[in-house]
Structures are given as structure tokens and as C-alpha cells.
Amino acid sequence: MVKLALPLIAGQLGLIAMSVTDVLMIAPLGPTHLAAGSLAFMLYFNIWLFCLGVLIASASLASQARGARNFKGVRRTIRQGFWVAATLVPPAAVALWFGSDFLLLTGQEPDVAALAEPYLRAIVWSLPFSFGFLVLRFFVSALSRPNTVMIGLIAGALINVPLDYVLIHGALGVPALGIAGAAWATSLVWVVLFAWLVAVVLRDREFRRYHVFVRFWRADWPRYREIWRIGLPVGVTLIAESGLFGACQLLMGRIGTLELAAHAVAIQVASVAFMIPLGIGQAAQVRVGQRFGARDPDGVRRAGWMALMLAGVTTGVAALVMWFAPEAIVGLFLQADSPVDGPVFALAVSFLLVAAVFQLVDGAQVAMVSCLRGLSDTAWPLVIAVLSYWAVGFGAAWVFAFPLGLGGVGVWMGLAVGLAVAAVGLTLRFVLRERLGLLDRPAAA
């Protein structure tokens, strides 16, 4: 599990490093630009994450087929994964293109929404390349070759740094594009990453024997529908969780611009910490899927509990760092003694203390839901997620923030409550997997 998880974690950190770099580069432009950038990224990331959730079904199906030594099943899954990706691009592009109108409808300040619009319209061009990269990423991970993806994502994060600087602030004869420059930098990085991974799949002997690009345009409707059947609940589950954070971000915008800017910093730190249990969860999904395909219930059990243990240890360490050194962490983004940054700095520190508390439950819920995905169990986890995140989490965030008058800290307390309820529900479902008949279902063919 560790051997598979470490490269996936490194790859996830490389992926999130691009957004962290964006925040670091946008922060000097001022709180209004930082708030606009955070809202634009939130909207883009929620749409992108939903599409990732749909496509992640290809990882489960390909892993199960690999565990059953069914090479044709792997090939069918990846080809139709590209078909699903192509289906997702147009609606996602339309939603982003008119995203600033959505921000205005949610009560955001007009100047903030206006600044967000160029970012949203620039990031549209990244969609086909990032979705194609995801499909190939799930392919190589299903074959237990995550190092390939790790190298690409770390390289992409490094490329993003100079691109961000040049395009956001202007240099080398390129005009300063502001927060839109961050979106153009991200789009260019996705083009490079997709082209690179295509080249790797075509040249590597192990990948090449699956012939995933041969007769690419041949329809395989049963597998296409199967990816949607498994992936759509996953996409809704991910958007339920990420949407909870996004909705809380909108609540922050209603509280004030300073709270929204502080939230942008704190959520970046929490997101970086989350990449570690997320990588462990992705490894668990592959391992559980492979053992499920091989009809090895004991292997499923070992993979699941090992994922939960590793997630608990790593999130425990992250929680301790956030609790005992929040000022040092926030100081990477903002200056405590600055008349502009000072109020935002204090708010971000208070948010980070609450984020430390929910690290453990956040790691547990992502580990358990990933194990259930490895068993192609996605419908009931969706129900658990929606009830936990929205009926409990968002409701608690609103109550804590407004009726109880806790403001931004209350929003973060609501997030913690919702994640805790989800962790309990998902863990209980994995515990009852045999009694519920989850291991009796047919694996991918």
C-alpha cells in the first residue's frame, strides 16, 4: 500500500502545488484580487472535480479487470473513459464561461465577480487536456505504475511557477494579465502534461500492449454506460463534499471580503494536507479493486484497514502541525505586521486551528469512500455524503456562523461536523461489506 501510495501522494501534491502557487502569486495584488481568484478557482475546481469523479470509475473498472487478468477489459474501460471525457467537456465549458453570472446570483460583490470572469474564460481551454490526462492517469495507476504520473505532475508544478510569474505580473515582454494569467498558465501546463502522458503510453512496452488508442472511435456502449453508472454517483459525491466547501466559501463572501481572503489561504493549507490521505485513498481504490477482481475477500479487508490506518497517522501529523504552528504556515502567504494583510492574517490563523481538528475525520472519510469505490459501490456512499455534508455540515455552518454569531470560525466548525458524520457512515458501510453483499457483485469483465 505504501509503495503504491507514495507516488500517488507526491503526484497529488504536485497537482495542488499549482493552485498554491496561484494563490502565492495573486496575493500581492491585494485582498480583492485574492478573493476573486479564490472564488473563480472554487467554481472551476468544483466542476472539474465532478468530472474527475465520473472518470474515476475507469480506475475501478480497469483495476478489477487487471486483477482478473482480463487485458481486454482494461482496454475497453480506458477507451470508453475517453468517450466519457469528451462528453463532459461541452457542459463543463459552458458552465465556466458563464460562471461570473453565477457568482453574482449568489450575492458576491460585483467587482469581485468581474475580476473572476477572465480567469474562468481562460481556464475553459484546459478542460479537454486535463480530462484526457485523468483517463490516462487512471490507466497507468490501475497497472500499479503511479511513478509515471508522479513525475509528470511534479514537473507540471515546477513549470507552473515561472509561467504564473510571467503571465500574472508581466515579464519578458508579456503584459500582466492579473488573475487570468494564472488560468492561462494552468491551461498550458495541462496541454504539456497530456501530450507527455500520451507519448509515455505509446512508447512504454507494458502500456503499449493494451492498445488503448487502436480503433479509438469504435463505440462500446455497454462499457460507456457502465462508467456513467459507477462514476456519476462518485462525481455527485465529490461535488457534495467539495460543494460544501464551495458553499461555505460563498457564505464567507457574504460575511466579508477579508473573511473570504482569509478562507482562501486556510483552504489552500487544508487542501495540501488533504492530498496525502487522498493519495492513500487512490492507492486503496486500486488495491481493493485488484483484490476484488481476483476474488480475494481477505485482500480487500487488509487493503481497507491499512488505508484507514495510514490515513489516520498522516492526518494526525498534519493536525499537530496546524495546531502548534498556524502563524508560521499563514506567514508563507501573508505578512502579519502589514496594515493590509494583518486582519486577514489573524482570521486565517483562527480558521486553521479549526481545520486542524477535522483533519482526522477528513482522512478517514476519503480512505473509506475510496475503498468502497474499489468495490464499485457508489450509490449508497452518495446518499451518506449528501446527508452528511449538506443536511448536517452546511446546516451547522450556517447556524454557527449567523444565528450563533461565530462568523467565519463558525463556518469552519460546520465543515468539521459534516466530515465527521460522513466518516462514521462510510466506515460503517465498509465494516458491513460482506453482510451487505458488496463482495458478491460481479467484477469488471
Side-chain angles (χ1 to χ4, degrees):
M1 181 71 76
V2 172
K3 182 180 178 181
L4 182 59
L6 282 176
L8 289 170
I9 292 170
Q12 288 300 136
L13 290 172
L15 183 61
I16 197 66
M18 288 194 282
S19 66
V20 173
T21 302
D22 292 347
V23 173
L24 289 170
M25 295 286 185
I26 292 173
L29 300 178
T32 303
H33 286 79
L34 182 58
S38 70
L39 281 175
F41 179 79
M42 176 274 295
L43 188 58
Y44 156 69
F45 185 69
N46 275 276
I47 293 171
W48 187 84
L49 196 63
F50 168 77
C51 297
L52 178 148
V54 175
L55 295 173
I56 209 171
S58 60
S60 298
L61 294 172
S63 297
Q64 293 172 17
R66 172 97 188 299
R69 302 192 62 80
N70 182 350
F71 294 166
K72 182 180 178 181
V74 175
R75 179 167 60 249
R76 291 177 61 201
T77 296
I78 301 307
R79 286 178 182 170
Q80 293 312 298
F82 281 114
W83 280 53
V84 173
T87 308
L88 289 166
V89 169
V94 171
L96 288 172
W97 194 263
F98 297 102
S100 60
D101 297 320
F102 170 78
L103 294 178
L104 288 173
L105 289 175
T106 61
Q108 304 307 306
E109 297 180 8
D111 57 338
V112 173
L115 283 172
E117 183 178 80
Y119 180 100
L120 293 169
R121 295 194 171 183
I123 204 68
V124 162
W125 305 104
S126 71
L127 295 178
F129 304 100
S130 63
F131 292 173
F133 178 87
L134 286 175
V135 174
L136 291 179
R137 172 188 177 180
F138 297 142
F139 169 52
V140 300
S141 296
L143 301 186
S144 298
R145 290 276 303 275
N147 287 338
T148 304
V149 176
M150 175 191 71
I151 294 170
L153 289 174
I154 292 176
L158 295 175
I159 295 171
N160 189 61
V161 174
L163 284 176
D164 259 357
Y165 180 80
V166 169
L167 295 176
I168 293 174
H169 299 287
L172 304 177
V174 178
L177 300 177
I179 65 172
W184 284 114
T186 300
S187 297
L188 290 172
V189 169
W190 279 121
V191 172
V192 172
L193 287 177
F194 176 64
W196 170 77
L197 197 50
V198 167
V200 170
V201 169
L202 290 175
R203 292 176 61 86
D204 187 280
R205 178 179 299 178
E206 183 179 359
F207 299 145
R208 194 169 60 236
R209 64 176 177 166
Y210 287 89
H211 304 293
V212 294
F213 296 114
V214 176
R215 294 191 295 276
F216 178 79
W217 300 108
R218 183 177 179 180
D220 184 355
W221 297 117
R223 184 51 52 92
Y224 178 88
R225 289 191 293 270
E226 184 73 358
I227 292 175
W228 274 105
R229 183 188 70 80
I230 297 172
L232 188 58
V234 178
V236 178
T237 301
L238 291 178
I239 207 66
E241 179 183 2
S242 182
L244 169 64
F245 283 86
C248 289
Q249 194 163 354
L250 295 175
L251 288 182
M252 289 289 188
R254 297 181 72 90
I255 295 171
T257 300
L258 295 180
E259 285 81 2
L260 181 57
H263 181 81
V265 173
I267 202 68
Q268 281 298 319
V269 176
S271 297
V272 171
F274 180 69
M275 291 302 105
I276 298 175
L278 180 60
I280 293 169
Q282 291 174 347
Q285 180 176 344
V286 171
R287 293 296 299 151
V288 169
Q290 290 175 347
R291 293 301 89 209
F292 178 52
R295 292 304 179 191
D296 178 11
D298 190 54
V300 170
R301 177 187 61 80
R302 292 198 308 271
W305 295 129
M306 182 56 65
L308 185 61
M309 185 193 76
L310 291 173
V313 171
T314 54
T315 54
V317 172
L320 291 174
V321 173
M322 290 183 191
W323 185 262
F324 289 106
E327 293 87 357
I329 297 172
V330 176
L332 297 174
F333 298 85
L334 302 167
Q335 296 180 0
D337 56 354
S338 167
V340 176
D341 291 349
V344 180
F345 183 97
L347 287 168
V349 168
S350 65
F351 297 164
L352 209 57
L353 291 174
V354 184
V357 175
F358 74 59
Q359 288 302 301
L360 288 171
V361 291
D362 202 12
Q365 63 89 22
V366 74
M368 288 293 93
V369 78
S370 299
C371 292
L372 293 171
R373 289 170 193 157
L375 300 174
S376 296
D377 179 42
T378 58
W380 274 104
L382 167 60
V383 175
I384 294 170
V386 170
L387 292 176
S388 302
Y389 301 147
W390 287 97
V392 179
F394 185 74
W398 186 85
V399 170
F400 289 149
F402 297 106
L404 296 182
L406 297 178
V409 172
V411 172
W412 278 76
M413 291 172 62
L415 290 174
V417 172
L419 292 170
V421 174
V424 172
L426 293 167
T427 302
L428 183 61
R429 185 163 179 82
F430 185 76
V431 169
L432 299 175
R433 63 193 177 281
E434 294 189 41
R435 186 177 302 179
L436 296 173
L438 301 185
L439 300 182
D440 299 330
R441 299 174 178 180

